[in-house]
Amino acid sequence: MQLHNRVNGAELKKKMRQSSEERTTISFYKYFKFDNPQIVRDHLYREWSAIGVLGRIYIAHEGINGQISVPAARLDDFKASCNDLAFMRGNRLNYAIEDDGKSFFKLKILVRKKIVADGLDDASFDVTDSGIHLSAKAMNELLDQPDTVVVDMRNHYESEIGHFKNAILPDVSTFRESLPIISEMLADNKDKNLVMYCTGGIRCEKASAYMKYKGYKNVFQLEGGIIEYARQVKEQNLENKFIGKNFVFDERLGEKINDEVIAHCHQCGAPCDTHTNCANDFCHLLFIQCDDCREKYENTCSPLCQEYLHKPYEEQKAAGKAMIFNGSKFGKSRYNPNRVDKKDTLRV
């Protein structure tokens, strides 16, 4: 059996979008010591590809981090497979809030140095000494206390479309750069309740341990992240203190937690919280675009990229390698209400 996908990604994406198969989107993580991540990777590929699992999974010596979709008809088979694995047995599975079954189009399992690129020297502190885990109810209670500081541990393009009320939103593009910045920002608040949250909880596991290492005394983290918080709020009829959308790292790019739209189209400034990637693959900028601008700019981020798409194929190939587009190197854009459109760029 081949242990990699060999089918063209565009074909798989088209097949996924046309499929009527009911699927369930799930995320999970587990810090667990693997002596040989490659063996684990190959075993999971055999097991889960046979079940029909699609998605992206990272495995490292320190553990596993996955975002997947499973055929609804095979969900029990997937759970049984997890129960057969020591590192997955009893592990929490985060189920998507808004799920159309179109989250992933292929299975990719990669061996990495770390399951999250955090930039930390794990040997310098106890990574297992993490913060106190909070349920949704406990989170709400702590957020109501005046001596609480709540910090969004995600990147700017995630918090732009949704976040907890009164949260500190660091202006960072990667998790790697966030921890030193946040530690410095909050240096005068080491005796307060420090509450950290992220999408599914994985970033806060190490981040909370790092902040305790840096001298913060009362460190808490939201158990299961925003995904689990939203589920508990709905099941227990609790007040929802999260506003807007939760950014997710799959084809959906977001799931609605409440009905508020707190972001703006990066091109016209209209209320909008729908992310897209520029249709020019040499740009591929991740940005927010409303329906009107999607039609006007043909799903591109700027007139330059739109013009490029209309060039003959050979000219596209030549120009794409020579030109610098706004989103080259997969930069993530920001909304700027003072932006001025120019022919050659989108300033965000």
Side-chain angles (χ1 to χ4, degrees):
M1 175 186 177
Q2 65 182 29
L3 300 181
H4 299 274
N5 169 66
R6 300 297 184 188
V7 183
N8 178 272
E11 293 180 23
L12 291 173
K13 188 174 293 189
K14 181 179 179 181
K15 178 182 177 182
M16 177 267 292
R17 289 173 175 169
Q18 293 177 343
S19 173
S20 60
E21 180 182 45
E22 184 179 349
R23 302 184 68 89
T24 301
T25 301
I26 299 170
S27 61
F28 59 86
Y29 70 88
K30 182 67 175 289
Y31 282 99
F32 189 92
K33 182 175 175 54
F34 292 122
D35 294 327
N36 193 325
Q38 186 65 47
I39 291 178
V40 178
R41 182 261 172 214
D42 292 346
H43 173 75
L44 290 183
Y45 197 95
R46 293 188 190 95
E47 287 278 316
W48 289 352
S49 62
I51 294 173
V53 173
L54 303 175
R56 179 178 55 248
I57 300 167
Y58 298 143
I59 300 175
H61 284 289
E62 66 177 0
I64 185 171
N65 177 20
Q67 297 87 40
I68 61 173
S69 76
V70 181
R74 303 294 304 274
L75 189 55
D76 287 342
D77 294 331
F78 173 73
K79 291 179 180 178
S81 172
C82 289
N83 286 333
D84 288 338
L85 301 166
F87 58 89
M88 287 294 291
R89 192 176 303 128
N91 196 36
R92 185 188 62 252
L93 301 177
N94 283 334
Y95 291 88
I97 305 303
E98 281 191 319
D99 193 4
D100 59 3
K102 310 294 185 183
S103 51
F104 296 98
F105 58 90
K106 65 180 177 180
L107 177 60
K108 181 186 291 186
I109 306 182
L110 302 174
V111 174
R112 292 282 184 87
K113 290 184 178 180
K114 290 192 174 187
I115 55 177
V116 176
D118 52 36
L120 298 176
D121 176 12
D122 292 352
S124 65
F125 67 103
D126 183 0
V127 297
T128 66
D129 186 23
S130 57
I132 298 172
H133 290 65
L134 299 172
S135 65
K137 185 175 183 293
M139 175 78 167
N140 283 357
E141 292 172 351
L142 203 53
L143 292 181
D144 287 336
Q145 296 184 16
D147 58 345
T148 293
V149 176
V150 57
V151 182
D152 195 316
M153 296 306 301
R154 303 171 302 154
N155 304 320
H156 73 84
Y157 55 89
E158 299 173 79
S159 61
E160 182 178 6
I161 62 171
H163 52 78
F164 277 96
K165 299 173 184 177
N166 302 318
I168 294 173
L169 311 174
D171 186 16
V172 296
S173 296
T174 65
F175 180 55
R176 179 190 299 271
E177 65 182 294
S178 66
L179 286 173
I181 292 173
I182 291 170
S183 180
E184 184 175 345
M185 284 173 58
L186 302 179
D188 295 331
N189 296 279
K190 291 190 174 182
D191 293 326
K192 292 188 176 182
N193 296 320
L194 174 60
V195 177
M196 314 174 83
Y197 71 89
C198 56
T199 307
I202 186 170
R203 283 176 272 190
C204 292
E205 289 291 341
K206 275 195 183 175
S208 61
Y210 177 81
M211 297 303 278
K212 290 178 72 173
Y213 161 70
K214 285 294 185 178
Y216 291 83
K217 297 179 174 57
N218 306 307
V219 182
F220 303 83
Q221 64 186 88
L222 181 58
E223 172 74 20
I226 299 163
I227 299 174
E228 178 64 11
Y229 174 86
R231 187 189 68 79
Q232 291 182 19
V233 162
K234 184 176 180 180
E235 285 188 353
Q236 301 172 32
N237 196 28
L238 302 173
E239 178 187 357
N240 182 10
K241 293 181 178 290
F242 188 92
I243 54 175
K245 258 186 182 179
N246 179 30
F247 184 93
V248 291
F249 293 88
D250 58 53
E251 293 294 311
R252 297 170 299 150
L253 292 178
E255 52 186 14
K256 188 180 295 185
I257 305 299
N258 75 0
D259 293 329
E260 291 188 60
V261 177
I262 65 172
H264 301 83
C265 173
H266 287 174
Q267 289 172 310
C268 72
C272 178
D273 57 9
T274 302
H275 276 99
T276 189
N277 286 110
C278 180
N280 171 9
D281 286 338
F282 281 98
C283 173
H284 208 66
L285 178 73
L286 178 69
F287 69 111
I288 297 175
Q289 187 178 49
C290 68
D291 291 340
D292 289 343
C293 287
R294 181 173 293 108
E295 181 178 353
K296 177 181 178 180
Y297 293 102
E298 299 178 273
N299 206 48
T300 63
C301 71
S302 67
L304 176 66
C305 286
Q306 184 179 21
E307 180 181 298
Y308 169 82
L309 287 186
H310 289 281
K311 292 180 180 293
Y313 177 69
E314 291 303 321
E315 287 188 36
Q316 283 191 18
K317 286 178 62 179
K321 295 178 181 179
M323 298 175 68
I324 300 297
F325 295 99
N326 187 70
S328 295
K329 299 183 181 179
F330 300 89
K332 310 297 193 302
S333 69
R334 293 171 170 83
Y335 173 62
N336 178 0
N338 300 315
R339 177 186 57 78
V340 178
D341 276 321
K342 291 187 177 181
K343 184 176 178 59
D344 61 343
T345 190
L346 174 70
R347 293 173 55 203
V348 288

